[in-house]
Amino acid sequence: MKLATTHQPVYHVPMRTLHWTMALCIIALFVTGPIMVAFDAKDTLRPAFYSFHKSIGALIVALVFVRLAVRWLSQVPPLPAAMPPGERLLAHAGHWLLYAMMVAAPLTGWATSDMYGYGVKFFDMPLPKLFPTLGAETGAQAGDVHTVVAYLFLALVGLHLLAIAKHRYVDRDCVMHRMA
Ligand code: HEM
Ligand code: HEM
């Protein structure tokens, strides 16, 4: 059964709430990630940054599955009628790639921590070990994969914002109200 929708072509309130909560968390991860890896090993702020980054990252794992379930249950507003088929395809592909990144980025981060043997906590609460401890060398390799995935994700978010700006300033069929 689908959740009730209004007559306006806008995303359902739970979808909008999840979009903005997760966007805020993901921006915090894009900011804390590069800062924490640049810290000196003995810097007293380093553990706090890692703990925050991992906790918020773990939250993303949980929220992305809630969001996919909510999306499945709610009605997604149709794209603007005037949008050409090629652009529609691009919009759908972009959105699904963003979802793929919301799964891949935190899981590769989780793999990095588990493979090093540090484990993952949500602040003070220990979370399940999802990957085996494989030592520093494999941990570092997983960290490289996480870094590449994270920056690909950042590039995709950049394209997402460009697409929204194009609708606002070129196509003049602003889509912001659908998610605002
Ligand atoms: C959407 C989720 C996430 C994003 C966007 C993200 C983003 C980033 C970024 C941008 C960096 C810095 C890479 C660099 O400049 O070298 C980083 C590093 C790191 N992140 Fe994440 N992260 C996410 C989730 C997680 C999670 C869930 C964990 C662990 C539970 C985690 C653990 C780490 C670790 C251990 C590093 C250091 C990697 C290394 O030493 O090379 N991240 N992350
Ligand atoms: C930072 C991380 C962000 C991620 C991961 C993200 C992800 C997504 C995804 C996956 C969708 C598709 C929703 C669906 O159909 O299920 C979406 C839609 C949307 N996002 Fe974002 N978003 C981010 C940031 C932003 C920001 C900063 C803005 C505004 C400046 C924004 C504005 C929108 C709008 C307006 C839509 C609706 C597009 C439409 O009409 O189809 N997003 N976002």
Side-chain angles (χ1 to χ4, degrees):
M1 194 185 72
K2 302 277 181 191
L3 295 173
T5 51
T6 65
H7 294 295
Q8 283 181 313
V10 297
Y11 280 88
H12 205 267
V13 172
M15 277 297 285
R16 283 183 268 156
T17 309
L18 281 160
H19 176 273
W20 293 114
T21 308
M22 290 182 75
L24 213 69
C25 289
I26 290 163
I27 291 165
L29 293 164
F30 286 140
V31 173
T32 52
I35 294 175
M36 73 190 195
V37 295
F39 274 130
D40 191 78
K42 290 200 182 97
D43 199 300
T44 48
L45 278 177
R46 191 174 182 267
F49 267 78
Y50 268 86
S51 165
F52 178 83
H53 184 88
K54 291 192 202 182
S55 303
I56 301 301
L59 190 63
I60 294 295
V61 179
L63 289 182
V64 72
F65 291 110
V66 172
R67 182 163 168 185
L68 288 169
V70 169
R71 190 185 202 278
W72 183 64
L73 285 169
S74 63
Q75 211 121 48
V76 173
L79 290 168
M83 214 168 153
E87 244 181 77
R88 270 167 200 280
L89 193 74
L90 220 60
H92 286 303
H95 289 167
W96 284 109
L97 268 175
L98 282 166
Y99 282 118
M101 288 299 182
M102 282 184 254
V103 174
L107 283 184
T108 52
W110 201 306
T112 306
S113 289
D114 274 353
M115 286 178 182
Y116 266 114
Y118 294 127
V120 180
K121 284 183 181 169
F122 180 71
F123 297 99
D124 277 337
M125 185 176 79
L127 294 174
K129 191 169 166 65
L130 302 182
F131 303 87
T133 300
L134 295 173
E137 201 178 317
T138 317
Q141 284 166 356
D144 290 344
V145 174
H146 179 56
T147 301
V148 171
V149 171
Y151 287 112
L152 281 176
F153 189 8
L154 183 60
L156 205 60
V157 170
L159 288 177
H160 180 52
L161 300 186
L162 278 179
I164 289 155
K166 177 187 175 282
H167 277 283
R168 172 88 171 79
Y169 298 106
V170 180
D171 303 336
R172 307 222 170 250
D173 59 350
C174 185
V175 290
M176 215 37 218
H177 70 281
R178 290 154 57 87
M179 194 53 97

